[in-house]
Amino acid sequence: MATVNGGISFWYANTGAPAPREPLPGDAAADVCVVGGGYTGLWTAYYLKKAAPFLRIVVLESRFCGYGASGRNGGWLYNGIAGRDRYARLHGHDAAVRLQRAMNDTVDEVIRVAEEEGIDADIHKGGVLEVARTPAQLARLKAFHEAETAFGEKDRLLLGAAGAAERIRVAGTVGGTWTPHGARIHPVKLVHGLAAAAEALGVVIHESTPVTEIRPKHAITPYGTVRAPYVLRCTEGFTAGIRGQRRSWLPMNSSMIVTEPLPRRVWDTIGWEGMETLGDMAHAYMYAQRTADDRIALGGRGIPYRFGSRTDNDGRTQESTVAALREILVRFFPATAGVAIDHAWSGVLGVPRDWCASVELDRATGLGWAGGYVGSGVATANLAARTLRDLVQLDSGQGAATELTGLPWVGHRVRRWEPEPFRWLGVHGLYAAYRAADGRERAARSTRTDRLAQLADRISGRH
């Protein structure tokens, strides 16, 4: 059977397209206008309405809820957050520990709400296993494990080759690290359930309503303008499409494939009975999950960026990227050499210039935003939404400062990305360097991180 390419994502092919919601019928007024119907926007609307049921909350979505990264991601609900190490340098170690603890708790918060709201999103809390397959990767993995422990993750395990293989038998594994703070999810089932839960509370969602410009107290669309004291931008990788935001967050491409359901004999070879999410320590890293219907869904970068911060329409990905992801699949799991790839797709995630996720509410204008998750958004979006809720309540006099409003990512500002063509050249150069570094590390068998990757990290601002 031929591989389906695009069609938004496999997750939509698996569940079916959602019933369309009506677009904005004309000018409207609200207490809070949320721009973007992905995880960040829907969680924000949900938590605000739960906290203050009298609020008139309107969500504006350009296509349909979950059209972007929320409906295309790898289904990793885990405790990673972009920028923690930088926040430790800027605000001190203890502040970063508080941020990490909040992320650890967020995994369980999402699971709690899903259970409370009756959202069946194929959630299985099996933790996250990250493996090393070269000496250099193993050195990075041990340093990573040590750093995570230093930020308070005392329940994380450092595994040797045998210990990692007891969980998932990845060919060539020389070590691993496992945290319990992670779960596999079906991304679209979660976003559908969350949208329905928000609507049940009284949140109004308008789809097929692109917001072209955001001004203080105004969200402007082709169909009319929503006026609200608070306008919250929750657009992540699609932020560049809003007037004046072209260089704010770079829309980074990530691509995925999913296999046909695998037979028992293949799973007997691979293991993976704990349903952990799986990643590695390569510079151009992969991420994967075992789905509820016994497929392997696996992702990686592919072609990282389109000139001019353009985004795709339907998730179609390049054949060369599909082939590269298949090669990773078979390299990790030789028993999958003959299996069919049922679906391939791509999506975009938001990357700030300093690779730090952030949350902000400008009290002078009522404009707020959250995002820049750099691929760790499934759980981070929930923490960001609860933080936006608390910031709005604090500013409106309906609440006091909370632990969340005091986290170090609140109010963080970052410079804009370079103009084209420097942006395109820089991003493509960085990922060419990372891929080359991975190849050199496999060949050299040295414990040292390749100098190309070190240089790329310094240029990118990641470290």
Side-chain angles (χ1 to χ4, degrees):
M1 184 179 70
T3 300
V4 177
N5 194 332
I8 313 303
S9 72
F10 163 76
W11 310 119
Y12 277 107
N14 188 239
T15 61
R21 296 176 174 88
E22 293 298 317
L24 182 71
D27 291 345
D31 298 307
V32 180
C33 178
V34 177
V35 181
Y39 289 146
T40 305
L42 293 173
W43 279 122
T44 299
Y46 173 85
Y47 282 116
L48 271 170
K49 195 68 173 175
K50 289 278 279 190
F54 55 85
L55 289 177
R56 297 170 299 162
I57 301 175
V58 172
V59 176
L60 303 177
E61 164 55 42
S62 65
R63 296 291 294 272
F64 53 82
C65 289
Y67 173 78
S70 299
R72 308 191 198 190
N73 64 80
W76 275 44
L77 175 67
Y78 86 120
N79 66 339
I81 184 166
R84 185 199 60 195
D85 292 349
R86 184 179 293 272
Y87 287 130
R89 293 193 294 271
L90 291 173
H91 301 279
H93 180 78
D94 289 347
V97 168
R98 288 189 286 109
L99 181 60
Q100 186 60 64
R101 286 176 179 161
M103 279 304 308
N104 296 348
D105 294 341
T106 294
V107 174
D108 291 325
E109 168 67 8
V110 173
I111 295 171
R112 181 194 69 79
V113 174
E115 291 176 349
E116 182 179 284
E117 297 291 351
I119 302 171
D120 181 5
D122 297 341
I123 298 174
H124 183 93
K125 191 182 180 186
V128 182
L129 176 68
E130 293 175 89
V131 300
R133 301 180 65 251
T134 69
Q137 287 185 22
L138 183 60
R140 287 197 297 275
L141 182 140
K142 289 178 178 178
F144 169 72
H145 176 87
E146 201 171 296
E148 297 306 293
T149 302
F151 281 104
E153 226 182 305
K154 305 303 183 186
D155 44 5
R156 176 177 284 274
L157 302 178
L158 183 64
L159 306 170
E166 285 178 6
R167 293 181 177 274
I168 308 174
R169 288 186 282 279
V170 175
T173 293
V174 293
T177 180
W178 176 85
T179 175
H181 302 293
R184 173 207 72 193
I185 68 162
H186 188 299
V188 165
K189 290 182 179 179
L190 178 60
V191 80
H192 283 177
L194 181 55
E199 285 183 311
L201 293 173
V203 172
V204 176
I205 300 174
H206 293 295
E207 295 181 328
S208 300
T209 305
V211 173
T212 56
E213 185 178 357
I214 295 173
R215 301 177 191 162
K217 300 180 173 55
H218 294 75
I220 300 166
T221 86
Y223 303 113
T225 296
V226 176
R227 292 171 173 81
Y230 298 100
V231 180
L232 308 179
R233 190 187 78 225
C234 303
T235 47
E236 188 56 356
F238 288 84
T239 299
I242 297 173
R243 184 175 180 182
Q245 301 295 329
R246 177 72 65 184
R247 291 165 53 198
S248 295
W249 291 338
L250 184 140
M252 184 81 75
N253 285 299
S254 199
S255 300
M256 293 197 70
I257 58 173
V258 67
T259 69
E260 63 183 331
L262 302 182
R264 184 71 252 171
R265 60 177 175 77
V266 175
W267 290 117
D268 288 342
T269 302
I270 295 173
W272 214 336
E273 298 302 320
M275 307 295 175
E276 301 91 344
T277 54
L278 172 68
D280 74 343
M281 299 304 294
H283 302 292
Y285 54 83
M286 58 76 72
Y287 50 93
Q289 68 151 280
R290 177 178 177 175
T291 68
D293 58 349
D294 285 336
R295 305 168 186 265
I296 294 177
L298 181 146
R301 277 291 174 265
I303 294 177
Y305 173 71
R306 290 181 171 87
F307 190 88
S309 292
R310 293 195 301 270
T311 55
D312 70 87
N313 291 319
D314 67 352
R316 186 171 180 82
T317 195
Q318 301 80 9
E319 293 300 330
S320 60
T321 298
V322 178
L325 293 175
R326 176 189 270 280
E327 191 273 330
I328 293 172
L329 174 72
V330 175
R331 193 191 324 147
F332 275 54
F333 305 112
T336 64
V339 306
I341 303 301
D342 274 1
H343 207 119
W345 69 98
S346 293
V348 295
L349 48 100
V351 181
R353 186 60 182 85
D354 66 355
W355 303 71
C356 291
S358 60
V359 183
E360 168 73 337
L361 179 66
D362 186 337
R363 303 186 72 172
T365 63
L367 298 179
W369 58 89
Y373 305 133
V374 196
S376 298
V378 177
T380 313
N382 177 278
L383 179 60
R386 287 183 285 128
T387 305
L388 276 176
R389 171 202 62 193
D390 289 0
L391 289 169
V392 169
Q393 290 203 286
L394 174 63
D395 183 71
S396 62
Q398 297 168 12
T402 67
E403 289 185 8
L404 300 187
T405 60
L407 291 175
W409 67 337
V410 173
H412 178 73
R413 298 297 181 94
V414 62
R415 68 184 176 92
R416 292 157 66 84
W417 281 88
E418 291 78 2
E420 297 292 20
F422 304 107
R423 194 158 70 244
W424 186 91
L425 290 169
V427 174
H428 280 261
L430 287 174
Y431 275 90
Y434 285 138
R435 286 190 290 269
D438 285 329
R440 285 159 51 141
E441 287 178 1
R442 285 194 297 270
R445 310 304 293 175
S446 168
T447 59
R448 294 175 61 106
T449 289
D450 188 84
R451 289 181 180 178
L452 267 179
Q454 294 175 0
L455 177 62
D457 282 345
R458 284 197 296 272
I459 293 172
S460 69
R462 293 176 72 178
H463 298 291

